[in-house]
Structure formats: structure tokens, C-alpha cells
Amino acid sequence: MAVSTGTPVDYVNPNIGTIGHLLTATAPVVMLPHGMMQIAPRTTPGVMDRYLAERIHDFPIGGASIMATVGQVSDQPEAWASHYDHDLETVSPYYYSVLLEDYDVTAEYTVAEHSAQFRFSFPDTSQQACIWVNTTDDGHVDLIDESTLAGWANIAGVKRYFFMCLSVPGTSRKWTAPDCVKGGTDRQCGAVISFPSLASRQVEIKVGVSYINIDQARSNLLQELPGWDFAQVTQNARRIWNEALGKIAVSGGTEKQRTIFYTALYRSMSRMVNITEDGRYYSAYDGKVHSADGHDFYVNDGLWDTYRCMHPLQLLLEPKRQIDMIWSYLRMYEQSGWLPSFPHVQGARPVMIGNHPAALIADTYMKGYRDFDVNLAYEAIKKNAMEGTMLPWSIGPKTELDDIYLERGFFPALQKGEEESFSQVHPFEGRQAVSVTLEHAYDDWCLAQLARGLGEEEDYAYFMARAHNYEKLYNHRIGFMAPRAGDGSWVEDFDPKRGGGQGGRKYFAECNSWIYTFHVQHDVGGLINLMGGSEQFFARLEALFSEQYDVPKYDFLKQFPDATGLIGQYAQGNEPSFHIPYLYNYVAAPWMTQRRVRQIMDLWYGDGPLGICGDEDGGAMSSWYVFSAMGLYPVCPGRPVYDLGSPLFDEVKIHQEDGSAFVIRAEQVSRQNKYIQSATLNGKPLHQPWLHHSDIVDGEGLVLQMDKRPNLAWGLGASQLPSMTQPK
């Protein structure tokens, strides 16, 4: 990582999280915010913890990959790999450099929106320098002349085109790798450019990429990188990142905290990805190229992960971009007939559960941003809710199991020992019946808010009734959310901690009932009443953070590998936990929210390769940290409210698109001084531990007086809970 100089991008360390605690690690991606060109070294296949991989194989760029070698090397791509040393590596969001030790070649690259520039510096030896270009097993390379190549690769049904220029002409040849034979036809899917005499010992390569065609890839390259000034391209990418990260300016805190914060903010800007090219975009949702019509087209999202805090963070910082993202979802609906939750460049992926476009769109709408076709959005979300299946990891029309939900208000689970009889149920993911019910209850609440805003009062009443379906799964006898069979009977011998098999998937999505019992973001007051009142709710929160595994920890994590970042049964490493530490605010104990969020930030976020405690999921884990480090969190997207926690920094300045800024000042804040003593919002005393979105966008600032011991009298406005019923 570059030495910190005080500018935001200099604090970013993309190697944070490149060793996973149990599952997926991050990658040190060089890109622009939401940019289509994204590059990270392809390290040794099979080594999931990228930081621990000892070799770099090549550098992928869309439909191709590039590598540099010296001397005679086999045409087999695996033979090009080189050892490398992190101590001889520079990693930033806008620039990467590494020594390929086996060849003594220094590789560097930087990026623009749809293009990249590489620079390879070869050793001063008599050995021949070579640049290798390779596509996938369904790809093609054309050698246009001694310094120009073009081609494509078909990846998961979508062609990715590239156009490539070299600064120095060389001697080129193509080859057909053994795995390039498709249907008995040889396909030229690789090329090597050799340089018998290279006076400067340096070769630069510019690459443009496209989802439209090769001509568009060439146009993208020529528009973005017309010359060969590598330093200028690097500085421009650096400037763009500083502008993006500078939307939140922090002062105070430690060097480590600023590193974690700005790295988390960088990760939070990785999705969605803008694939608009010259006012056009390719859509896999109907296989056609479309005009963007003034709204860029974005793909690559996972709303189960991102609706909770990543999209709310992006909305706070860039509402115009968020509007384009919603337009993108609506185009996908028009082109495919369904509103996706996991849209990618290849099309909608059938991943996870829920109708969470409802959360994304309702949150944007309720915060006052409505420059999209709200009627079309309502139509799309309602179609998903009424006609689509709720089955995990599925897309398509409803099934008999969905009809049970519509009739009874809960998704049916199998009784203990009962064999699955519905072929539509995913063989590994199962029914996840409790999580499906709880998450759709929240989504239906979001849909109800849109219905009321559009004057659809009958729909509003109907979906608000469905929003209470969570009540039907609260088993008062055991005090947990629990599965019910299709006939309404409770599943026998249900274990809230370890029930449901691998990942709890018979009943839950990747975690257990200790966590999902609190998954009622939209009606915390109702959940408190179900549990018997504030004292009982407080006791249940405390029990969550202290309850142990009852088996060796490795056995527990074997069953729940997503449940990393454990504090008792609370799992910071998985998204359903995110809002739970803030629920103390709702039982007049905001000091415990302040204590818990500080504990989580200190324990489970670091500035090294192990610095992210769970699957990053494209910025979901990091966006939680960004919000929490500022002292805010959106417990219920769709309600324009942020709960207060405990900020890390003396001052946080949130810059708005209109040029104004909202400033959060934490007087006397420190590691020990984490408790709020009093608060002033826009010049007036604040007696409750939350504020409204309008307080930020139309206000000037929040001042918090901090100390090392809690003020038990502050925040007792928490007895006035935000209503489940929102104004029009």
C-alpha cells in the first residue's frame, strides 16, 4: 500500500480481507468507482486465500488475460506463472505494481472506465522478452498487425470483446491451446508477441473492452486512452478515487481506523457496475443492444447482501447514480418479465431469497428520490410478490408451496424426518422456510409503503397485513422464530441453535434462529411486544451476545461456515446480523448499542489480510463499517431513519451532491470515550438515538458529547419508537 499522505485514496489497502476467515477472500481490484474495467492478478488456482498464493499466473482483462515472460516458455498458460513477493508489490485502487520474480519483470497497470494501460519493464539481459495474450476455452484472438490484437471470449453465454495496442511492434504468432478445440474445430485462442531486441526494455499495452463488439472496444480505448502517458492515466484514476472517497472526509481517529474506513468505502463503491458504452449497453436480459436514453445501465448486484446498508450508503452519497441503478432494474424487468435480485452481466442469477428490490426502491422513494417510473417499479415488485416463487435460489412463477404462503401467511417447512416431495426445491439450499417468511414480510412492508405513496389503499392494507406474517412464526413456548409445517403444526423437536442441517438451510438462510428471531427490521416494536416487553427484549439481546455453541467451535462453524465473526451467537460475518446491535436503541438502552458496535468494529475489522471477518459480498461487510464508524446505521431501509451508534472519528463530513455538507462532531471521542452523554442536531437538543434522512440532507450537523461511562438518562426518547406505519 502507498504511504498515507492524508488524501483518502492513500489510506486504502486493497489487500485487506485477502485471507478469508473461513470462506471467500477479497481480491485487490484496480478499478474506478463502479467501473467496467476491473483487474486483479490471477493467482494460483485453488488457493482461495489470494494473499497466500505464491504465484501470479496472469492479469485478466475482460475477455482475455496478459502475462509477460523472458526466454523460452511453453505455450501452456500454466507455464507462464511467476513467484512474487508482497514486499515487492504496490497495491492501490488505481494502480498496481509487482515484480514477477521468475523473470525479473516489473508489471504495472492502471485503469479508466472501459480500458486499462499496462507497463512491463524487462531485465537488461539477452533473453527474449515476450507478451502472452490468452482467452478462455471459448475465445478467439486476431493479430491485426505487429502491434495490434483484437478478440473475444464467450463467458457464461456473454461475449466479452477486447482491442489491444502495444507501444512497441513485435513478432507475433498465434497458437491453439489443447482446450480451445470446440466441436472438432480449432480456434486460435492465444497469441505471443516476442521482442528479439528491445532497446527501451519496456513495453506498454493499452486494452479497451466491450460487451457490444470489437469496434466498440476499440472506440472505448481510443476515447479514454488516446496517448501513451502512463503517469497521466494513473494520476487521473487517482484523482477520480480521491473525489469519490472524499465524499466522506474524516479527521481524528487512528491511522489504522482511517485505513480500515477508506478501504471499506472503496469496497462499498465496487458495485453496481456501469456497463454503458457510448450511450449504449448490451443486456443479457433480452440479448440485445439498447440505447441508454439518459440513464446508465448497471449490473452486478446481490440485494440480499446490499439492500441492508450498501445501497443506503450509496444513496446518501450519490442519489443520482442510485436512480440510474433503479432504472437499470426496471429495464431488466421490462426485458425479462421478472425483477431480479442478483442481476449480473450474464443475466439474473437465482441466488438467495427475498423480494429485496422492494427494499432498494422503497428506501429510495421514502427518502424523497423519485425520478424514476414509480408505477412501473410498483408493478414489477408486486408481480414478484404475487406471481413469483419464494423458493430459495429460484426465479420463476409461484409453486404449490408459495400458494400455502399466500393462504396461511408462512412458508411451509418439512416435519422432522419428512422427505422432500417437491422437485422445485433446490437439493442443497432447501426450503429455508423461516427465513423466507421473515424476509418476505419485510419486503411486503416495503411494498406497502410504495402502495400508500401511489394511493393504492387496498394494496396498502393487504401488504401491511402480510408484513405481520412474522408473528405467525414466533413460538411463544420456546421464545424463538420457528418453522411450521404446511398444516400449521410446529416442527417437532426444533433446536433454535443447531436446527436445520447444513447452514440451517431447512429453515434458515446460512444462520440460525438466534439471529433470525431478530429479523423484523420493519416492526421492532411489534417484536418487542411478542417477546414480552422491553426488559425481556433487552435480556434476549444480551443472551444473543453471550450464548455459546454447546459443541466444539469447529463443529459449530462446520455447520454454519457463514457465521464467522462470532460474539456468542451473534455473527458479524453474515448480513442478517447487521442491524441487531442497534436494537438496544429501541429499549431505552442506547449505551449498549454504543458499546456493542465499538466492540464489533474493534474485534472484527482490521487493516491486514485477515481484516474482514466474513464474505465481503461486493462491499456489504465494508458498508456496515463505514456507517458504524460514522456513528449511523439504517436499521430498516424503507424507513428514512438512521440509528445512532458510536462514531470513531472527531469529525465526519458527509458531502452532498448539491455542494452542502453534514458534519458529525464527536467531542472528546476516544477508544474509551465511546458513550454519548448528550447530542445536538442542527442546533437543537436531540433526546432520541436516531435521526431522519432529511435531518442530514437538509441540515448542517450533529454534535455528540462523548465520555468513558454511559449516560443512562440520554436517549430515553427511544420509548417513542419509529412507527411501522409511515406517512404518505
Side-chain angles (χ1 to χ4, degrees):
M1 187 185 73
V3 176
S4 298
T5 64
T7 64
V9 76
D10 293 314
Y11 287 108
V12 177
N13 178 6
N15 272 329
I16 289 178
T18 48
I19 299 176
H21 281 238
L22 204 56
L23 296 177
T24 305
T26 62
V29 180
V30 174
M31 59 179 290
L32 296 186
H34 306 279
M36 197 168 100
M37 176 60 83
Q38 301 186 9
I39 311 175
R42 187 173 70 92
T43 51
T44 308
V47 179
M48 300 303 294
D49 293 326
R50 291 178 177 87
Y51 196 84
L52 300 179
E54 295 187 347
R55 290 178 175 83
I56 289 176
H57 281 241
D58 51 26
F59 303 97
I61 40 101
S65 61
I66 299 174
M67 188 57 173
T69 66
V70 296
Q72 296 297 316
V73 180
S74 167
D75 283 358
Q76 298 299 318
E78 60 270 18
W80 311 338
S82 172
H83 289 83
Y84 74 111
D85 185 341
H86 289 295
D87 293 334
L88 303 175
E89 178 188 49
T90 300
V91 188
S92 80
Y94 61 89
Y95 167 82
Y96 180 86
S97 173
V98 69
L99 178 66
L100 303 174
E101 294 179 299
D102 290 8
Y103 310 113
D104 201 22
V105 172
T106 298
E108 304 168 84
Y109 53 83
T110 186
V111 297
E113 288 284 348
H114 310 86
S115 56
Q117 188 162 345
F118 287 79
R119 182 164 64 190
F120 294 102
S121 300
F122 293 91
D124 187 13
T125 70
S126 59
Q127 289 186 300
Q128 180 172 269
C130 295
I131 299 292
W132 299 81
V133 178
N134 189 39
T135 68
T136 65
D137 61 357
D138 188 8
H140 184 74
V141 176
D142 279 325
L143 302 176
I144 298 173
D145 57 39
E146 291 181 328
S147 58
T148 312
L149 299 84
W152 53 266
N154 190 328
I155 301 175
V158 174
K159 280 193 174 181
R160 304 186 184 204
Y161 302 92
F162 63 91
F163 188 88
M164 188 180 302
C165 298
L166 283 73
S167 62
V168 180
T171 302
S172 304
R173 67 175 176 86
K174 296 194 288 185
W175 85 85
T176 302
D179 59 359
C180 282
V181 179
K182 288 284 185 178
T185 301
D186 286 351
R187 174 166 287 145
Q188 304 290 334
C189 67
V192 58
I193 304 96
S194 56
F195 306 90
S197 60
L198 191 61
S200 67
R201 312 310 304 170
Q202 198 169 82
V203 175
E204 295 190 19
I205 303 173
K206 298 188 299 184
V207 188
V209 297
S210 173
Y211 291 113
I212 297 175
N213 54 41
I214 288 175
D215 287 342
Q216 186 62 56
R218 178 178 182 274
S219 177
N220 292 341
L221 174 60
L222 295 179
Q223 287 184 57
E224 296 175 0
L225 304 178
W228 288 97
D229 192 336
F230 186 92
Q232 182 59 48
V233 178
T234 303
Q235 286 303 311
N236 187 57
R238 174 184 168 86
R239 175 188 58 79
I240 291 171
W241 268 113
N242 266 326
E243 290 175 356
L245 298 171
K247 293 180 186 296
I248 306 177
V250 303
S251 59
T254 65
E255 185 89 359
K256 176 180 178 179
Q257 288 169 336
R258 291 190 294 275
T259 293
I260 300 169
F261 180 84
Y262 279 115
T263 304
L265 187 55
Y266 144 79
R267 293 284 181 197
S268 301
M269 294 177 174
S270 64
R271 296 199 298 191
M272 300 172 74
V273 175
N274 184 355
I275 63 168
T276 312
E277 307 174 51
D278 268 348
R280 299 186 298 162
Y281 67 92
Y282 169 77
S283 172
Y285 295 84
D286 62 0
K288 298 178 182 178
V289 175
H290 298 266
S291 169
D293 293 330
H295 293 286
D296 288 344
F297 188 72
Y298 288 79
V299 294
N300 191 15
D301 201 0
L303 283 173
W304 189 84
D305 308 295
T306 59
Y307 88 82
R308 305 168 196 270
C309 49
M310 191 166 118
H311 275 293
L313 177 62
Q314 293 175 351
L315 179 63
L316 183 62
L317 300 181
E318 294 186 289
K320 291 180 181 177
R321 191 190 296 271
Q322 188 88 344
I323 291 294
D324 279 0
M325 291 178 183
I326 290 178
W327 274 111
S328 301
Y329 272 95
L330 298 183
R331 288 165 173 167
M332 297 171 198
Y333 167 68
E334 291 179 310
Q335 293 161 10
S336 71
W338 295 105
L339 195 58
S341 288
F342 277 71
H344 283 250
V345 70
Q346 299 93 343
R349 296 178 61 200
V351 176
M352 300 305 295
I353 59 175
N355 184 20
H356 295 318
L360 166 66
I361 294 170
D363 192 50
T364 305
Y365 179 87
M366 294 303 294
K367 288 173 180 172
Y369 306 103
R370 302 176 181 181
D371 188 19
F372 59 93
D373 191 334
V374 181
N375 288 292
L376 180 62
Y378 180 72
E379 172 194 311
I381 300 168
K382 184 178 177 182
K383 180 181 178 182
N384 279 18
M386 298 301 296
E387 301 177 32
T389 184
M390 299 177 180
L391 279 169
W393 294 67
S394 297
I395 298 174
K398 63 187 180 71
T399 68
E400 293 178 50
L401 296 177
D402 300 289
D403 288 334
I404 294 174
Y405 177 88
L406 295 176
E407 178 185 347
R408 293 181 172 269
F410 59 86
F411 202 76
L414 294 172
Q415 277 288 2
K416 194 170 184 180
E418 183 181 358
E419 293 293 326
E420 182 59 71
S421 59
F422 286 87
S423 61
Q424 302 100 320
V425 176
H426 193 287
F428 177 75
E429 295 297 336
R431 296 191 181 189
Q432 302 179 22
V434 177
S435 293
V436 166
T437 301
L438 296 175
E439 298 208 27
H440 278 276
Y442 163 69
D443 293 330
D444 286 339
W445 177 85
C446 292
L447 181 51
Q449 311 317 301
L450 290 173
R452 193 174 201 195
L454 292 172
E456 301 285 349
E457 290 299 327
E458 288 188 12
D459 280 2
Y460 171 74
Y462 172 74
F463 286 110
M464 282 297 284
R466 280 176 45 163
H468 283 276
N469 281 342
Y470 73 89
E471 298 171 355
K472 299 179 181 180
L473 292 189
Y474 188 76
N475 187 328
H476 288 272
R477 183 180 64 81
I478 63 174
F480 286 91
M481 297 292 178
R484 299 177 73 174
D487 63 2
S489 61
W490 295 106
V491 169
E492 297 178 1
D493 300 324
F494 168 66
D495 180 356
K497 188 179 297 183
R498 301 202 66 195
Q502 178 61 36
R505 286 178 172 84
K506 291 181 182 178
Y507 315 132
F508 301 99
E510 301 180 348
C511 45
N512 62 19
S513 191
W514 275 89
I515 290 172
Y516 260 102
T517 292
F518 293 98
H519 207 285
V520 188
Q521 301 148 282
H522 60 291
D523 191 16
V524 180
L527 181 61
I528 291 171
N529 291 335
L530 279 180
M531 290 189 179
S534 294
E535 289 186 11
Q536 291 84 347
F537 191 83
F538 179 90
R540 286 299 303 278
L541 284 171
E542 289 292 86
L544 171 70
F545 286 96
S546 61
E547 181 72 16
Q548 294 302 295
Y549 323 116
D550 298 337
V551 293
K553 189 174 181 180
Y554 59 81
D555 274 346
F556 184 82
L557 287 173
K558 180 180 179 181
Q559 181 180 357
F560 296 104
D562 292 272
T564 49
L566 285 166
I567 305 174
Q569 290 296 299
Y570 176 85
Q572 180 63 28
N574 209 10
E575 287 81 4
S577 297
F578 280 1
H579 69 290
I580 296 176
Y582 289 88
L583 296 183
Y584 289 99
N585 283 347
Y586 295 75
V587 287
W591 66 276
M592 276 304 301
T593 282
Q594 296 152 33
R595 183 186 185 105
R596 290 295 184 201
V597 296
R598 281 292 193 97
Q599 179 187 26
I600 294 165
M601 285 189 283
D602 289 345
L603 279 178
W604 291 122
Y605 289 85
D607 61 350
L610 280 162
I612 299 175
C613 65
D615 287 0
E616 171 67 307
D617 291 319
M621 289 283 146
S622 289
S623 57
W624 185 94
Y625 185 91
V626 173
F627 262 125
S628 296
M630 292 194 296
L632 307 171
Y633 190 76
V635 164
C636 179
R639 179 182 290 123
V641 170
Y642 301 96
D643 275 76
L644 295 186
S646 180
L648 295 179
F649 303 105
D650 299 343
E651 181 179 285
V652 176
K653 185 176 291 185
I654 305 170
H655 293 281
Q656 307 291 302
E657 284 189 333
D658 65 1
S660 63
F662 184 81
V663 180
I664 302 170
R665 291 190 176 88
E667 305 286 351
Q668 304 301 315
V669 69
S670 67
R671 183 177 181 87
Q672 286 109 352
N673 291 359
K674 53 179 170 274
Y675 297 108
I676 299 173
Q677 307 299 299
S678 63
T680 303
L681 175 63
N682 297 322
K684 298 180 180 179
L686 179 68
H687 300 296
Q688 62 190 31
W690 54 71
L691 48 82
H692 290 81
H693 183 75
S694 59
D695 294 325
I696 294 177
V697 297
D698 299 327
E700 296 180 355
L702 172 70
V703 179
L704 305 172
Q705 300 295 327
M706 310 295 292
D707 205 348
K708 63 185 177 181
R709 296 293 293 146
N711 177 2
L712 302 183
W714 182 80
L716 298 187
S719 60
Q720 301 174 1
L721 295 174
S723 173
M724 182 180 179
T725 303
Q726 295 293 291
K728 293 184 181 180

